[in-house]
Amino acid sequence: MRDAAVRSPQARGSSAVDASVLAQVDAVIERYRGKEGALIPVLHETQEIVGYLPRCVQSRIAGALRIPESQVYGVVTFYSFFAMKPTGRHKIGVCLGTACYVKGGAAVLQAVKQASGADVDDVSSDGRFGVEVTRCVGACGLAPVLSVDGDIYSRVSPDSVPEILARYT
Amino acid sequence: MDRVKLVIDGQSVEAQRGATILEAARQAGIDLPTLCHHPALGGGGACRVCVCEVVGAKNLVAACVTPADDGMVVWTNSKVVREARRTVLELIIASHPQECLTCVRSETCELRRLASRFHVDPVRFARRREPLPKDESSPSIVRDPSKCVLCGRCVLACSVVQHVGAIGFAHRGIETTVEPAFGDDLASTKCVACGQCTLVCPVGAITVKDDTDAVFEALSDETKHVVVQVAPAVRAALGEEFGLPAGTDVTYQMVGALRQLGFDAVFDTQFSADLTIVEEGHELIERLNNGGPLPLITSCSPGWINYMENFHPSLQDHVSSCKSPQQMMGAVIKTYYANKAGVDPAEIVSVSVMPCTAKKYEAKRPEMQSSGYRDVDFVLTTRELAVMLKQAGIDLRNVHHRDFDHPLGESTGAGEIFGVTGGVMEAALRSVAFALAKRPLEGLELEPVRGFDGLREAELEVAGRKLRVAVAHGLANAEELLRRIESGEKEYHFVEIMACPGGCIAGGGQPFSQDPEIRHRRASVLYAGDRSKGLRMSHENPAVKQLYREFLGVPGSRVAHELLHTTYCHGAPAHGQPATARDVSKTGRSR
Ligand code: SF4
Ligand code: SF4
Ligand code: SF4
Ligand code: FES
């Protein structure tokens, strides 16, 4: 499915990155200017600096390297290691596969949103958590399942969510 | 040795070294199916519809990208090939909306043809993709990504041929799409509305905005006076839609058909092409005499104008302030003609038939109504006109031949060649040279600016003055020409740019064709039309002279400026959002 957050006005905002960070990005571009195959290394280094590749940064890179935005966006969306939105220090995945859903996955998700302060496909304002809905993780016998940074929590009840998240600072 | 010998399906075949197996096979009369490959674009290798067996090779190869080699033995119709090909088609069709009954491309769809040619049964595979929303944001182009087969032809056309890159591949795997950056709609990109993507899309995934219903509506409204103008390139290609050979001139059948369709008057955009030359020629001479800015660059291709505004706004003072012939005609219709015919301009519906999709966008620009009325209300492409005629049961081959209405139907040979790359340059030079030297150019035909080389230049001496001119068509070629000009590498007095490769004859609204010779055939109609005319210099057009006498005064007059000229945007507005008001005082171009 297409990423709804990518289309939202906030994700499009161009003021998300401050000037000193942009200056570092410009320095990266400057180093690669005129070199063959500059795009991917520029995107890599930029992601290291900014943390992700928001729209305004992609446009900046496209403009400076004189290539169409569609090409930059194509590369960013092709490789899974590029992110178009901030990812959060800890990645929470809530399974909404059939089994998890039946066993109350939606309530768990609700609790996760509340405890983390982040919406689905979004990051909490302190940058601590990012929340995603995952497809079936193949642990249906343990439903509902929650994962944080790859740690799997099984038979999660909504009440236990704050306690689980407290382990990740 | 530059030829290779190979065997295809048991036949020995000779081909140019470097030719693909596909080309070699087609030369030998074996028509391999293709989908992602388009002869005008190169590319290919993505869909694998064209697979064939090369004896000794480990896997089946894609004929469209594999060079034919000496001693190769190729089978294009063996059992493995047939099975592989069918599987490929089945997989494509499995993720395709099966809307052929109501699809605009139904009759011309390459996928539907392949499916019926190879008897594809799609039930073996489950549907793999969710439908994606349609994008109707652009006044010219409609995207229906659910129908996209990811062939990449539009991406090549847009980024390589047109140097725009409004659309590209995004995402990966099953979620791969062809779309504008950031999933935006097309109207917020730098799309120039040229429609070249619609010409190469094999299916109904990128099409032209359909205005046929609106025009039928106007035609059936008794209270409206519905007039139509037709661009030169339309008569050179419309016949193809009715099974006539490419290169058939259908001018008079076309006029007859338009009358039968119910238009109250049929005018010729060649008239306003002549008018454009008079105004633009005047502008060039003024600039030559008053020190610039030079080069003067033509403005009759709205796809080019969009490109200039989006990518080279600093050139706007170089671009002629003349509106395109379509808009000039529109402005003249709602003023001069309305007055002459005794019709209230508010009752006039002004339709144009164009080879061009960018003209739909141009007609909607807010500033294109200096008479107080929209210059042009609806723009139809050549393909849309064919659709309307077919709906009305009118067969171009069996209609009465009729001629255009007066006075806006009169034209010279110079107006006719406007439809092909180099034609505006040639037409302008005929009149400019005459004005400067007080006699016609020797041999009116300017060979150096003719032909289809991407960039052409010429130098000629007129009245003791050297004029350096250049012509570019296709925006990637234009980009290269502008680079040379901006870097100071080249200096010209006059430059013609047309957005579409080949000029209007190969515009985004013309009939589909994969015939590499098509542009030559269509161009020959216009050049023959020019030769057959008694008058071949725009300023000799008696109806144009009469228009100046009765209404405009002299070229470049205040009335002419108000109605026939325009100004361009500062900055780079995305094409779907024309600048709201163009402040003449700010651009400093009100002369
Ligand atoms: S694009 Fe072709 S195959 Fe698809 S619905 Fe239209 S006609 Fe049918
Ligand atoms: S209309 Fe022209 S510029 Fe726009 S997407 Fe199509 S090819 Fe690109
Ligand atoms: S939109 Fe048409 S031309 Fe472009 S990739 Fe899809 S099917 Fe091919
Ligand atoms: S036509 Fe050859 S791979 Fe698509």
Side-chain angles (χ1 to χ4, degrees), chain A residues 1-3 6-7 12 54-56 58-59 66 68-71 73-80 84 135, chain B residues 130 132-133 159 163-173 175 177 179-185 188 479:
Chain A
M1 224 185 59
R2 296 291 312 284
D3 190 343
V6 171
R7 288 170 177 268
R12 289 177 174 194
R55 178 190 175 113
C56 63
Q58 291 184 46
S59 300
R66 303 180 124 265
E69 287 181 344
S70 60
Q71 198 180 325
Y73 173 77
V75 169
V76 168
T77 55
F78 184 82
Y79 293 105
S80 54
M84 279 191 58
R135 304 208 181 123
Chain B
E130 291 304 313
L132 298 163
S159 57
H163 200 264
V164 172
I167 43 181
F169 281 99
H171 309 284
R172 64 176 169 276
E175 285 162 19
T177 56
E179 62 178 36
F182 315 117
D184 285 353
D185 50 31
S188 37
E479 178 64 31

Side-chain angles (χ1 to χ4, degrees), chain B residues 376-524:
Chain B
V376 173
D377 296 293
F378 300 108
V379 179
L380 299 170
T381 58
T382 308
R383 299 201 293 272
E384 284 170 280
L385 174 59
V387 165
M388 289 185 73
L389 294 178
K390 287 172 188 171
Q391 282 188 19
I394 300 171
D395 185 339
L396 201 66
R397 290 167 303 186
N398 306 320
V399 287
H400 289 299
H401 290 213
R402 302 283 298 273
D403 203 350
F404 291 103
D405 284 292
H406 291 289
L408 309 183
E410 227 142 312
S411 66
T412 71
E416 182 130 2
I417 57 176
F418 245 70
V420 54
T421 171
V424 176
M425 173 62 67
E426 185 169 340
L429 288 178
R430 287 180 190 175
S431 283
V432 167
F434 187 88
L436 292 176
K438 309 286 174 246
R439 61 183 162 80
L441 277 177
E442 221 162 291
L444 281 176
E445 300 179 8
L446 283 166
E447 281 306 329
V449 299
R450 294 192 175 188
F452 293 104
D453 289 344
L455 290 179
R456 308 188 291 286
E457 49 177 22
E459 193 176 282
L460 60 165
E461 224 180 279
V462 181
R465 203 190 313 228
K466 274 201 167 40
L467 280 185
R468 280 187 308 278
V469 303
V471 172
H473 59 121
L475 291 169
N477 293 325
E479 178 64 31
E480 172 58 21
L481 179 60
L482 297 178
R483 190 195 59 73
R484 292 181 193 174
I485 293 171
E486 282 170 328
S487 70
E489 192 184 319
K490 290 277 184 177
E491 278 181 25
Y492 301 105
H493 298 102
F494 191 34
V495 166
E496 176 205 288
I497 294 179
M498 294 191 190
C500 291
C504 317
I505 49 164
Q510 291 284 66
F512 301 110
S513 170
Q514 294 199 13
D515 174 3
E517 290 295 302
I518 198 85
R519 298 187 306 189
H520 294 94
R521 291 180 221 266
R522 291 175 184 166
S524 70

